[in-house]
Amino acid sequence: MAAIDRDVLPDTVKPINYDLSLYDLELGGAFTFQGTVKIQINIKSPIKQILLNAYQLKVNSAEIKGGSIESQKAHEILYIEQSQRVSLEFAEGIPASDGAILELQYSGVMNNDMAGFYRSKYKPAVSPAVSVPKVGDFHFMFSTQFESCDARRAFPCFDEPNLKASFDVSIEIPEDQIALSNMPEKTVGPGKDGRKVVSFERTPIMSTYLLAWAFGDFEYVEDFTKRKYNGKQLPVRVYTTRGLKEQGRFALENAHQVVDYFSEIFHIDYPLPKADLLAVHEFSHGAMENWGLVTYRTTAVLFDEKHSDTKYKVRVAYVVAHELAHQWFGNLVTMDWWSELWLNEGFATWVGWLAVDHLHPDYMVWTQFVTEAVQTAQQLDSLRASHPIEVPVKDALEIDQIFDAISYLKGSSVIRMLSNHLSVETFLSGVSDYLKAHAYGNATTNDLWAALSKASGKDVNTFMDPWIRKIGFPVLTVAEEPGQIGVRQSRFLTTGDVKPEEDETRWWIPLGLKTDPQDRGASPRALTEKQETLRDIDETFYKLNSDQNGFYRTNYPPERLAKLGASRDKLSNEDKIGLVADAAALAVSGEATTAGLLTFVENFKDETSYAVWSQLIASLTKIRSIFAENEKISEGLKTFTLRLVEAATEKIGWEFKPDEDFLVGQLRALLIGTAGLAGHQATITEAQRRFQASFSSSTAIHPSLRLPIYRIAITHGGAEAYTLLKTSYTHTTSIDGKEIILQSLGRVQSPSLAHDFLNFQFGAHVAVQDAHTGSVALAANPATRDEVWEYVKTHWEAIYAKLGANMVVLDRYVKSSLSGFARREKEEDIRLFFEGRDTKGFDRGVVQVCDTVRGNAGYRERDERLVEEWLGAHGAQISLHVPTPTFLDTPQRSKPTHPPPSPHATLTPSSAIPSPQRYLEPTSALLPCAF
């Protein structure tokens, strides 16, 4: 009997194997294709109807035969568009059978929606094979994207994660192109009209969303695992369109090592005979973990040592590791239903970072995890419109909106918290047992907790259940008395107005109490009640949530925070990031003040950590964004920011050294960009000089300085700089070039240029996958934020038509482009605009946008006067305004128990609202399967 808490197919028919043939592919024109699928099924009881999934396909015929069944064709084929199903009606009853074959002849389209079986356009790096289809200057490759519910766009199937089966795939393609699928090539035979038919080995039992195939003008680089599997080293390849394969070497170097690493720590050998990675030119997600054939957006798998920004190394290394983790956690063992998506994504996120830390300890990724992953998750989870990690999903078509920071980043953050509590070794031992027990099947959250409980001897389900099944996360408020501290947990909301009925959850909170600054360890004690008193505390030094291992915020008394600030040399980078981030978030919620935050961070001028600087600047950028309409505050915050970064910027300089630490280069780009946008004259002058020189010399700008230099040049260069950079968009050949240019063009300072840029984004030159990138930059720019919303309202029908074919893309655009406002009337305008429209597929995103804007508005209204007073009292309202030059006319040089601090206090805990600075980073680095 089918589950009643979800809308699923009847359980009377179960697929065993799919034999799928694709042929008569029209490479041009309408891009149609023909298909035949023979599905071996078990029929549990007599039926006259078979229901399966199909969407945007035409089923031409359906016939049931085999076993004890007398062959008969469906006399009626009915489409149920709303649920994306097709009903096959048979005149005669079909008896129960274990060996029936359901054969369907159908036709479809290789669409351009980045879903199902689709085509990607690109400009070839070298002359392509003769048969590659072409429209104008663009050529095409073809691939699939089936998660979560789009296998049904490519072939009729039982498209649910727990209806696993094996697959045999064959495809007819031109002789001079290459076809790929999950398994190695089995045979190549002649096809029609000089084409060839490529058949692949049978897959293991797996879910439909993990099936994949691709074909095009491909080439590859190859390496082999160092470990042997069934006596052989496994081939690992990175495929690209012709001319790009050498840019796959960094991913390849990581991939074969990651396969070995995961095989070792899971104590389960990689299950397939090969591991292929494929760069896809148009991709709605960051990557997709198809078993044995992982597909990637180009910027998530390709890296050019000479021309790429080095920050993309972290992105590539992490996304490669994340997707390969899925080969075990998600593919070998799959969640039973979409409500437990976090089992796939939360774990793959955590273990992906674990693998990168293993291969590249110099990246210091766990520090970056705290400033990126943890903060991004907490900013979403601090909204009323958040959702539990394990969220009820009745209709699978709703699931795309759950591929978000909660499933990925909160999921991975609580796994990090749990693994630190149990020990990473114990945690991985339990994971190994879980994978072995459920291999080639499906599992639930409770199955994972049971395995971890057995491995650790602790009742994991009891203390983890609220983290997974309840919405939100806590703030721990600290009250001090001589020799002891009181701690109280309550739900944290960015609006600061949690209601009693919203604050009933009692989280298990590992306190991570550190009392010895020289000791890297911390007390394993946990808070399990709403409040508790901790006695025998040495008041000289203590810090809760050591290394930010716990997923919560801490609200210290102002005096304690000041003492911690004075002891920065005794804190880990993770601790410093946590203190800054918590201070900013609590200022937003009203449990602290922005004045306190500014007092705290002004002492960080001598900081050397890239990750800590990243958090400092993200928090300040958020404040500048919220109060941008107040010119006094805006200028004062620019002055404050410049004072903070000036010495560090001048010390680090412009030039990269050959033996320089990886993170020093990242810090240089961050500081230069911040100083230039804060009005540092020397930085502006040098950035504009290099920008101008780059149009005559390809070496004028270091690849890792393109983003800060471009953004400074666009901010101060007017229409001329804008036109130059926009023109270069169509000519850039670097893999990351288009993304960097779009992020930079969003720094224009006039509504007319913003409008022109929006038209450009939605024109022919910018791929749909990148439609949000420029708008995110415009929305983070106070000078153009309003123009984005006016453009959306005026052109909504066209935007919906362009992005709405793939709701992942539309949902992402709405959330990332409209969340930066800080006025209640703007929230009302957004809410009323969407009230009368069809928002299916992005309705959750609209609610989150409105919730965020309300929180921003409350923060601005509450703190505006205090911020203005603090800046005035601290001499931070000296105008640094630089007249905007033309490109060639460059200038020369729940409430706490203690009361909130006064505007001049030394501190309290910072920004649960999305930071504009952080939005400019590649989102797919954090949420690869979704973004």
Side-chain angles (χ1 to χ4, degrees):
M1 185 171 147
I4 60 174
D5 63 339
R6 57 189 74 162
D7 182 10
V8 295
L9 296 169
D11 60 1
T12 50
V13 177
K14 185 180 186 303
I16 305 300
N17 172 262
Y18 293 82
D19 186 351
L20 176 62
S21 298
L22 304 163
Y23 50 91
D24 292 348
L25 279 63
E26 183 184 4
L27 301 184
F31 288 97
T32 60
F33 70 95
Q34 303 296 317
T36 298
V37 60
K38 300 174 183 177
I39 312 174
Q40 181 184 351
I41 56 176
N42 283 348
I43 302 174
K44 296 182 180 179
S45 58
I47 54 174
K48 296 185 71 174
Q49 177 202 56
I50 295 178
L51 199 64
L52 66 165
N53 296 108
Y55 182 55
Q56 296 179 343
L57 300 175
K58 181 182 180 183
V59 178
N60 300 311
S61 67
E63 182 179 6
I64 187 81
K65 55 188 175 183
S68 59
I69 295 176
E70 187 173 329
S71 175
Q72 65 167 312
K73 291 188 175 183
H75 72 92
E76 193 170 14
I77 299 173
L78 302 174
Y79 298 95
I80 309 168
E81 292 293 334
Q82 186 173 3
S83 58
Q84 298 181 357
R85 291 171 179 166
V86 60
S87 176
L88 309 177
E89 309 287 336
F90 295 90
E92 304 296 329
I94 303 170
S97 172
D98 288 338
I101 300 294
L102 176 63
E103 180 174 337
L104 300 100
Q105 307 280 343
Y106 70 99
S107 57
V109 174
M110 295 174 285
N111 64 67
N112 60 352
D113 299 332
M114 298 181 289
F117 185 14
Y118 74 95
R119 62 188 188 269
S120 299
K121 66 179 184 293
Y122 68 98
K123 291 184 178 180
V126 297
S127 297
V130 175
S131 69
V132 176
K134 176 183 177 184
V135 175
D137 293 333
F138 292 103
H139 291 67
F140 293 91
M141 61 169 286
F142 301 82
S143 59
T144 58
Q145 170 59 42
F146 290 162
E147 191 176 26
S148 54
C149 299
D150 287 317
R152 64 192 67 178
R153 292 198 193 205
F155 65 106
C157 56
F158 298 87
D159 199 12
E160 294 174 2
N162 60 6
L163 294 177
K164 290 190 168 186
S166 58
F167 297 84
D168 297 284
V169 175
S170 67
I171 184 169
E172 183 184 59
I173 64 168
E175 188 69 39
D176 58 357
Q177 295 193 44
I178 292 174
L180 304 170
S181 190
N182 306 80
M183 297 294 286
E185 190 178 274
K186 180 180 179 181
T187 61
V188 179
K192 297 186 293 291
D193 302 324
R195 295 188 177 189
K196 61 183 178 183
V197 176
V198 183
S199 299
F200 299 92
E201 300 283 354
R202 177 170 291 188
T203 73
I205 293 171
M206 64 186 193
S207 303
T208 47
Y209 78 86
L210 296 171
L211 183 65
W213 62 82
F215 73 93
D217 186 30
F218 298 151
E219 59 180 6
Y220 65 87
V221 288
E222 180 181 50
D223 206 335
F224 292 84
T225 59
K226 298 300 180 278
R227 295 176 84 251
K228 291 185 177 180
Y229 301 80
N230 295 320
K232 297 180 180 179
Q233 293 173 288
L234 294 183
V236 180
R237 295 175 175 177
V238 177
Y239 281 88
T240 70
T241 51
R242 193 187 302 272
L244 297 177
K245 69 177 184 179
E246 291 304 317
Q247 296 185 45
R249 289 205 176 273
F250 180 71
L252 180 66
E253 174 189 333
N254 284 267
H256 73 84
Q257 295 183 77
V258 168
V259 169
D260 283 345
Y261 177 65
F262 286 155
S263 296
E264 291 168 5
I265 67 172
F266 298 150
H267 302 290
I268 299 174
D269 281 354
Y270 178 78
L272 299 186
K274 57 101 172 174
D276 290 340
L277 292 68
L278 172 65
V280 179
H281 286 280
E282 293 190 281
F283 206 81
S284 62
H285 301 61
M288 176 60 210
E289 67 265 23
N290 315 300
W291 214 357
L293 176 59
V294 183
T295 46
Y296 297 82
R297 181 182 288 235
T298 54
T299 51
V301 73
L302 301 184
F303 183 84
D304 186 332
E305 292 288 348
K306 292 183 178 179
H307 302 108
S308 292
D309 186 332
T310 53
K311 73 181 177 184
Y312 283 85
K313 273 195 167 182
V314 180
R315 182 180 188 175
V316 169
Y318 166 66
V319 178
V320 165
H322 177 110
E323 301 307 328
L324 289 175
H326 277 307
Q327 309 302 293
W328 288 264
F329 221 98
N331 299 5
L332 181 66
V333 179
T334 310
M335 75 263 150
D336 184 62
W337 182 244
W338 295 111
S339 56
E340 292 166 310
L341 172 70
W342 88 276
L343 275 177
N344 283 16
E345 301 302 347
F347 180 82
T349 301
W350 174 78
V351 83
W353 288 94
L354 187 72
V356 176
D357 186 55
H358 173 73
L359 295 180
H360 304 284
D362 56 313
Y363 290 1
M364 299 181 67
V365 294
W366 288 119
T367 307
Q368 293 183 61
F369 182 89
V370 173
T371 195
E372 294 176 1
V374 173
Q375 301 312 317
T376 303
Q378 289 185 339
Q379 68 191 19
L380 175 55
D381 207 29
S382 63
L383 303 178
R384 277 196 171 86
S386 182
H387 61 83
I389 289 177
E390 185 174 304
V391 58
V393 176
K394 183 173 179 63
D395 184 351
L397 298 179
E398 303 168 359
I399 187 59
D400 282 344
Q401 293 188 78
I402 309 301
F403 283 80
D404 64 5
I406 301 300
S407 297
Y408 285 76
L409 304 182
K410 183 182 179 182
S412 60
S413 296
V414 300
I415 284 175
R416 174 174 174 261
M417 178 172 68
L418 176 61
S419 66
N420 275 285
H421 177 69
L422 301 180
S423 86
V424 172
E425 294 75 16
T426 300
F427 180 81
L428 288 172
S429 175
V431 165
S432 176
D433 293 342
Y434 163 86
L435 292 171
K436 290 172 181 175
H438 302 283
Y440 301 103
N442 298 80
T444 66
T445 298
N446 288 341
D447 294 325
L448 177 60
W449 293 160
L452 292 172
S453 296
K454 184 178 179 181
S456 65
K458 298 181 180 181
D459 187 359
V460 173
N461 184 72
T462 297
F463 57 77
M464 289 306 295
D465 189 77
W467 287 105
I468 302 303
R469 296 187 171 101
K470 299 293 185 180
I471 192 173
F473 69 97
V475 55
L476 206 60
T477 300
V478 180
E480 293 187 350
E481 294 181 23
Q484 64 185 33
I485 60 173
V487 292
R488 179 173 58 84
Q489 61 165 291
S490 55
R491 182 180 172 189
F492 179 76
L493 284 179
T494 194
T495 48
D497 57 350
V498 64
K499 302 171 184 175
E501 62 270 22
E502 297 172 320
D503 192 27
E504 296 176 348
T505 302
R506 283 189 304 169
W507 284 278
W508 166 82
I509 302 176
L511 291 172
L513 177 62
K514 182 191 291 186
T515 54
D516 181 355
Q518 305 304 319
D519 184 4
R520 292 294 292 172
S523 167
R525 184 172 180 175
L527 176 67
T528 56
E529 301 297 331
K530 271 292 187 181
Q531 57 188 34
E532 188 176 340
T533 299
L534 307 180
R535 306 185 190 282
D536 301 321
I537 299 296
D538 184 351
E539 297 177 36
T540 307
F541 177 91
Y542 75 86
K543 165 74 170 61
L544 292 165
N545 200 8
S546 175
D547 294 335
Q548 296 302 111
N549 284 319
F551 191 77
Y552 58 93
R553 297 203 182 278
T554 307
N555 189 6
Y556 294 99
E559 298 79 9
R560 174 57 51 187
L561 198 56
K563 289 179 181 179
L564 288 168
S567 305
R568 285 192 301 115
D569 58 327
K570 300 183 177 75
L571 298 172
S572 69
N573 288 332
E574 292 88 344
D575 283 333
K576 287 186 276 188
I577 291 164
L579 289 171
V580 173
D582 288 354
L586 290 159
V588 173
S589 69
E591 293 163 89
T593 69
T594 309
L597 169 66
L598 295 173
T599 301
F600 183 60
V601 303
E602 68 179 344
N603 297 312
F604 279 76
K605 295 183 181 72
D606 59 348
E607 182 57 53
T608 59
S609 164
Y610 164 71
V612 176
W613 270 115
S614 181
Q615 183 60 56
L616 287 164
I617 291 168
S619 297
L620 290 174
T621 303
K622 170 65 184 180
I623 299 169
R624 289 173 61 183
S625 175
I626 293 298
F627 300 107
E629 294 179 18
N630 184 315
E631 189 172 352
K632 253 185 167 179
I633 292 179
S634 182
E635 288 300 314
L637 287 171
K638 284 176 68 175
T639 303
F640 178 88
T641 301
L642 186 52
R643 283 179 180 173
L644 186 67
V645 304
E646 185 172 24
T649 305
E650 293 175 353
K651 179 179 178 180
I652 203 167
W654 287 82
E655 303 308 322
F656 288 72
K657 301 173 182 63
D659 57 347
E660 189 171 78
D661 183 82
F662 170 80
L663 291 175
V664 171
Q666 301 302 291
L667 179 58
R668 176 178 292 108
L670 180 65
L671 290 173
I672 287 173
T674 303
L677 295 180
H680 190 263
Q681 295 271 328
T683 299
I684 295 169
T685 300
E686 181 63 13
Q688 291 194 310
R689 185 191 70 77
R690 294 187 183 218
F691 179 75
Q692 183 177 14
S694 70
F695 293 95
S696 57
S697 170
S698 61
T699 61
I701 300 178
H702 188 283
S704 296
L705 293 182
R706 282 173 297 163
L707 182 61
I709 287 175
Y710 289 175
R711 294 183 71 208
I712 293 167
I714 295 299
T715 302
H716 296 283
E720 188 171 357
Y722 167 76
T723 302
L724 279 169
L725 192 58
K726 187 178 78 166
T727 302
S728 72
Y729 179 87
T730 58
H731 304 306
T732 183
T733 56
S734 65
I735 287 298
D736 55 10
K738 291 184 184 300
E739 190 169 273
I740 288 171
I741 290 171
L742 290 174
Q743 292 170 356
S744 304
L745 289 172
R747 285 297 308 171
V748 294
Q749 297 298 296
S750 73
S752 61
L753 290 180
H755 188 84
D756 182 85
F757 182 35
L758 285 161
N759 283 335
F760 179 74
Q761 289 176 61
F762 287 99
H765 293 294
V766 178
V768 171
Q769 68 170 11
D770 297 322
H772 71 291
T773 305
S775 291
V776 169
L778 288 170
N781 178 357
T784 56
R785 186 179 296 146
D786 286 334
E787 187 63 32
V788 176
W789 175 229
E790 292 304 316
Y791 190 93
V792 167
K793 288 191 292 184
T794 304
H795 300 86
W796 176 248
E797 285 72 21
I799 291 172
Y800 189 93
K802 189 174 182 72
L803 308 184
N806 189 316
M807 281 298 167
V808 169
V809 178
L810 184 60
D811 179 59
R812 179 172 62 213
Y813 186 86
V814 169
K815 287 191 293 189
S816 60
S817 300
L818 303 180
S819 296
F821 296 107
R823 289 200 172 274
R824 296 187 189 277
E825 57 266 30
K826 197 69 73 172
E827 182 275 332
E828 182 180 23
D829 192 23
I830 293 170
R831 177 169 44 80
L832 292 176
F833 178 82
F834 285 111
E835 264 184 11
R837 288 171 168 81
D838 179 10
T839 58
K840 184 177 182 181
F842 65 99
D843 54 316
R844 187 185 294 269
V846 171
V847 175
Q848 289 171 353
V849 164
C850 292
D851 205 354
T852 301
V853 175
R854 278 195 299 272
N856 290 348
Y859 175 35
R860 182 188 58 78
E861 292 162 359
R862 183 180 59 251
D863 262 24
E864 186 168 17
R865 181 183 60 82
L866 296 177
V867 173
E868 190 171 330
E869 289 178 0
W870 188 94
L871 291 169
H874 288 73
Q877 289 186 347
I878 302 169
S879 176
L880 287 177
H881 179 67
V882 180
T884 301
T886 65
F887 174 60
L888 296 177
D889 181 22
T890 306
Q892 299 303 308
R893 181 90 183 139
S894 58
K895 304 301 177 189
T897 53
H898 50 271
S902 73
H904 311 302
T906 35
L907 180 273
T908 31
S910 177
S911 173
I913 309 293
S915 149
Q917 176 71 23
R918 189 163 288 132
Y919 270 151
L920 293 176
E921 296 301 312
T923 51
S924 62
L926 298 176
L927 289 74
C929 305
F931 285 83

